[in-house]
Amino acid sequence: MTNFTKRPLRVLLAKLGMDTHTVGVTVIGHALREAGMEVIFTGLKQTPEMVCAAAVQEDVDVVGISTLSAGHTRSLPKLARLLREAGGGDKLLVAGGVIPEEDKPLLEEAGVDRIFTMGSDTRDIVAYLESWWAQRLAEDAA
């Protein structure tokens, strides 16, 4: 059994496809680090397969995808499926950026646990991840 309390929450941040806008993911990365989380950024132009492989290899707890382009309706469900198939279905999958409200049900049904849209407060994102982590720690201790 993994003792989660001996290490910080590990978060993998990634950008899928040809989206090269990094301001959002950079801001989120700084906020998560300041909150004491370990953050790994995969870099740009990642495929769902590359992100899944990195998440499994790095043994992260959370996979966070920042998106600005419209490819999220194809790439995020594929990433969720790949994570489940690779045994990473216990990882929290979150997405943020420019995601239209009408796309949320499709993404949530596909396995995206939480979607943070433009203008989300970084404190809310940190609080959500901390709450999820605390629940996981409690489950591990039980």
Side-chain angles (χ1 to χ4, degrees), residues 13 15 46 50 57 65 69 72 93-94 129 136 140-141:
L13 295 178
K15 302 278 299 177
Q46 299 289 299
M50 294 163 75
Q57 180 180 356
I65 302 298
S69 60
H72 60 270
L93 177 59
V94 296
L129 296 184
R136 187 153 181 187
D140 184 53

Side-chain angles (χ1 to χ4, degrees), residues 2-11 35-38 59-62 90-92 125-141:
T2 303
N3 186 344
F4 295 109
T5 60
K6 297 290 184 191
R7 62 173 177 78
L9 179 63
R10 294 173 53 91
V11 181
M37 298 176 199
E38 184 178 336
D59 193 24
V60 296
D61 307 294
V62 178
D90 62 332
K91 299 180 188 315
L92 182 71
I125 298 168
V126 167
Y128 179 77
L129 296 184
E130 288 177 337
S131 174
W132 177 82
W133 186 236
Q135 182 178 351
R136 187 153 181 187
L137 292 175
E139 291 169 2
D140 184 53

Side-chain angles (χ1 to χ4, degrees), residues 16 65 71-80 93 95 99 107 112:
L16 293 171
I65 302 298
H72 60 270
T73 55
R74 289 184 312 275
S75 59
L76 284 171
K78 184 174 184 179
L79 175 58
L93 177 59
I99 299 175
L107 298 175
V112 178

Side-chain angles (χ1 to χ4, degrees), residues 33-110:
R33 282 188 186 102
E34 287 180 10
M37 298 176 199
E38 184 178 336
V39 178
I40 301 160
F41 180 51
T42 62
L44 301 174
K45 301 179 181 175
Q46 299 289 299
T47 65
E49 290 84 355
M50 294 163 75
V51 173
C52 178
V56 171
Q57 180 180 356
E58 296 290 341
D59 193 24
V60 296
D61 307 294
V62 178
V63 177
I65 302 298
S66 173
T67 183
L68 182 62
S69 60
H72 60 270
T73 55
R74 289 184 312 275
S75 59
L76 284 171
K78 184 174 184 179
L79 175 58
R81 179 179 52 79
L82 290 171
L83 284 170
R84 286 190 300 272
E85 290 173 358
D90 62 332
K91 299 180 188 315
L92 182 71
L93 177 59
V94 296
V98 180
I99 299 175
E101 199 65 37
E102 60 266 22
D103 292 347
K104 285 183 173 182
L106 169 86
L107 298 175
E108 290 168 348
E109 186 173 316

